[in-house]
């Protein structure tokens, strides 16, 4: 175990100051990802700044009719919050499909956004990995890459972002509130996470001195026609091979608005406006869904072991859109696993 200093921040400015003052400092919230990374020697912070006592643990109504989810509200409290269940069921469902009840009780909303990839090589310090050690090379491109990306990849990294919650947030057009040395700002969700390009060590467009304070949901929650469909190796306690958040607004038998976000296929939750545009103004038929899936996957590329994901993604999109159109999201029976 590497030794580290520990500070507990009592307000946002002191947390910002503590991470800015020390380049090797890391914020810790629920710790469900960071502590694992420290145990595996992947993360070696010299200073842990505990933010669990910051006043960011509320879910509040926004003046525009939306909802503000504090960064330190746990994933469990978010998913079971009455307003989230009632107005944003796709988000509640996506969160509850992830991890386990115990983990969701510890995991926070801010930490969920910034959890790191599950690429096997990233966790294995005996192998080269550009995300862990920039310039070292990528072991996955020509290695065992069954869980890796098929969209938005680069020669430097083909890792996927592992979050379920973020896929629903992308579909809902959420916004991320952050605070830093230069003040506060809001980042639209689709610009929060990054594609790997030639800097795969950077997961998000967050400056070194910034912390997430909240996630803001817009008023529209697509309560009638939605689905979060997660395909994985086991029915619980497994990350997505492919997941789809599909939300539709139907008017007079046609699709007035469509949202489609994919998880498990790229370095960030994947949205394609072209695929959504292909659905707008058309009836919710299998042919139209197939055209949207084709548009969405037109640039997909497999790396050998993960070739199957292209067809899996196509089928998952079709099934998710069909479920959303029928207003029959997946069974809710496993929703309250205490
Ligand atoms: C066995 C296992 C299975 C899992 N399965 C799933 C799954 O199926 N689906 C899924 O979506 N997730 C899954 N997870 C991941 C889990 O959801 C994340 O570990 C959790 O959401 C991280 O939240 P945390 O508060 O514990 O973050 P921490 O571990 O405390 O922090 C994670 C990162 O976020 C940073 N951070 C935390 N809060 C802030 C903030 N407010 N501002 C800036 N930076 C911040 C930390 O510095 C750190 O880098 C699984 C985890 C485990 C261990
Ligand atoms: S895919 Fe990314 S995280 Fe995995 S080994 Fe390659 S560079 Fe590292």
């Amino acid at each position: 175990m590497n030794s580290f200093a520990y500070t507990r921040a009592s307000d946002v400015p002191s947390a910002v100051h503590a991470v800015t003052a020390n380049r090797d400092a890391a914020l810790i919230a629920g710790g469900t990802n960071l502590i694992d990374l420290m145990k595996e020697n992947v993360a070696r912070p010299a200073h842990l700044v505990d933010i669990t006592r910051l006043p960011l643990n509320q879910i509040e109504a926004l003046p525009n009719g939306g909802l503000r989810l504090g960064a330190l509200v746990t994933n469990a409290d978010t998913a079971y919050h009455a307003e989230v269940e009632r107005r944003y069921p796709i988000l509640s469902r996506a969160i509850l499909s992830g991890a386990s009840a115990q983990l969701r009780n510890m995991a926070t909303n801010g930490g969920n956004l910034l959890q790191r990839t599950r690429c096997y090589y990233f966790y294995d310090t005996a192998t080269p990995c550009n995300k862990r050690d920039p310039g070292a090379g990528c072991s996955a491109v020509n290695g065992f890459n069954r869980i890796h990306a098929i969209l938005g990849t680069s020669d430097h990294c083909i890792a996927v972002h592992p979050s379920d919650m973020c896929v629903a947030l992308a579909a809902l057009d959420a916004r991320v509130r952050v605070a830093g040395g230069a003040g506060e700002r809001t980042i639209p969700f689709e610009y929060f996470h990054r594609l790997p390009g030639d800097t795969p060590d950077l997961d998000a467009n967050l400056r070194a001195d910034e912390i997430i304070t909240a996630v803001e949901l817009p008023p529209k929650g697509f309560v009638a026609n939605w689905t979060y469909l997660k395909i994985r190796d086991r029915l619980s306690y497994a990350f997505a091979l492919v997941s789809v958040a599909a939300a539709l607004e139907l008017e007079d038998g046609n699709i007035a608005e469509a949202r489609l976000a994919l998880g498990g296929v790229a370095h960030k939750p994947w949205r394609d406006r072209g695929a959504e545009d292909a659905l707008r103004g058309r009836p919710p038929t299998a042919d139209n869904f197939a055209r949207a899936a084709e548009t969405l996957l037109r640039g997909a590329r497999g790396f050998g072991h993960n070739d199957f994901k292209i067809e899996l993604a196509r089928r998952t999109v079709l099934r998710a859109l069909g479920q959303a159109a029928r207003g029959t999201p997946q069974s809710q029976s496993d929703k309250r696993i205490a």
Side-chain angles (χ1 to χ4, degrees):
M1 190 72 187
N2 299 300
S3 58
F4 55 86
Y6 171 87
T7 311
R8 184 183 283 159
S10 53
D11 53 35
V12 171
S14 65
V16 168
H17 180 260
V19 275
T20 317
N22 185 341
R23 255 169 38 96
D24 295 324
L27 301 172
I28 183 159
T32 61
N33 188 216
L34 184 57
I35 296 292
D36 278 356
L37 291 167
M38 289 171 67
K39 286 195 240 171
E40 298 291 337
N41 221 13
V42 176
R44 289 181 291 274
H47 188 162
L48 278 189
V49 181
D50 181 345
I51 57 171
T52 52
R53 307 296 164 92
L54 300 188
L56 303 173
N57 57 356
Q58 301 292 320
I59 294 185
E60 298 157 309
L62 287 167
N64 69 355
L67 207 58
R68 179 184 166 98
L69 313 174
L72 287 166
V73 181
T74 65
N75 282 182
D77 286 346
T78 303
Y80 292 132
H81 190 275
E83 286 298 286
V84 176
E85 285 188 314
R86 186 174 69 83
R87 297 177 51 200
Y88 306 95
I90 195 170
L91 176 60
S92 177
R93 186 72 209 152
I95 293 172
L96 293 176
S97 76
S100 65
Q102 292 91 337
L103 283 160
R104 294 191 298 265
N105 283 337
M106 285 300 293
T108 64
N109 293 334
N112 193 305
L113 268 56
L114 288 174
Q115 63 176 294
R116 308 224 60 196
T117 185
R118 293 281 156 174
C119 170
Y120 330 106
Y121 301 106
F122 177 68
Y123 279 80
D124 180 357
T125 54
T127 60
C129 167
N130 285 324
K131 187 179 280 297
R132 178 171 25 80
D133 185 11
C138 171
S139 299
V141 171
N142 296 311
F144 184 56
N145 45 42
R146 183 171 178 275
I147 63 170
H148 289 76
I150 54 171
L151 288 161
T153 54
S154 79
D155 293 343
H156 304 284
C157 180
I158 58 171
V160 301
H161 192 265
S163 167
D164 292 291
M165 177 183 192
C166 291
V167 182
L169 291 174
L172 288 168
D173 268 346
R175 292 152 67 87
V176 185
R177 288 287 295 170
V178 305
E184 293 189 36
R185 66 184 178 121
T186 302
I187 309 172
F189 207 80
E190 68 178 302
Y191 301 118
F192 183 75
H193 295 102
R194 300 164 55 98
L195 289 179
D198 55 9
T199 52
D201 49 315
L202 303 175
D203 293 339
N205 288 311
L206 198 65
R207 298 179 194 130
D209 69 339
E210 286 180 327
I211 86 167
I212 300 171
T213 54
V215 175
E216 294 182 351
L217 303 176
K220 195 187 271 190
F222 295 90
V223 293
N225 295 93
W226 62 274
T227 278
Y228 184 73
L229 182 56
K230 177 175 178 177
I231 308 297
R232 46 188 156 170
D233 287 324
R234 291 185 304 269
L235 250 190
S236 74
Y237 210 34
F239 290 91
L241 288 167
V242 171
S243 69
V244 176
L248 300 173
E249 192 170 61
L250 300 177
E251 268 174 28
D252 303 326
N254 283 329
I255 298 168
E257 188 168 357
R259 302 279 179 85
L260 203 48
L262 268 64
V265 297
H267 201 255
K268 58 187 282 190
W270 190 263
R271 252 184 97 181
D272 184 327
R273 305 290 165 149
E276 294 173 7
D277 290 347
L279 290 167
R280 193 172 303 119
R282 297 176 189 274
T285 61
D287 282 351
N288 287 329
F289 294 161
R291 248 191 303 278
E294 200 179 304
T295 305
L296 197 140
L297 293 165
R298 62 191 180 276
R301 170 192 171 198
F303 291 83
H305 300 280
N306 70 344
D307 292 351
F308 74 99
K309 275 195 179 187
I310 299 174
E311 178 60 12
L312 182 65
R314 192 184 67 76
R315 293 184 191 200
T316 311
V317 166
L318 295 189
R319 191 167 131 202
L321 284 169
Q323 287 180 182
R326 288 190 295 276
T328 55
Q330 279 192 299
S331 159
Q332 303 285 297
S333 58
D334 61 339
K335 239 185 138 199
R336 285 197 181 267
I337 304 167

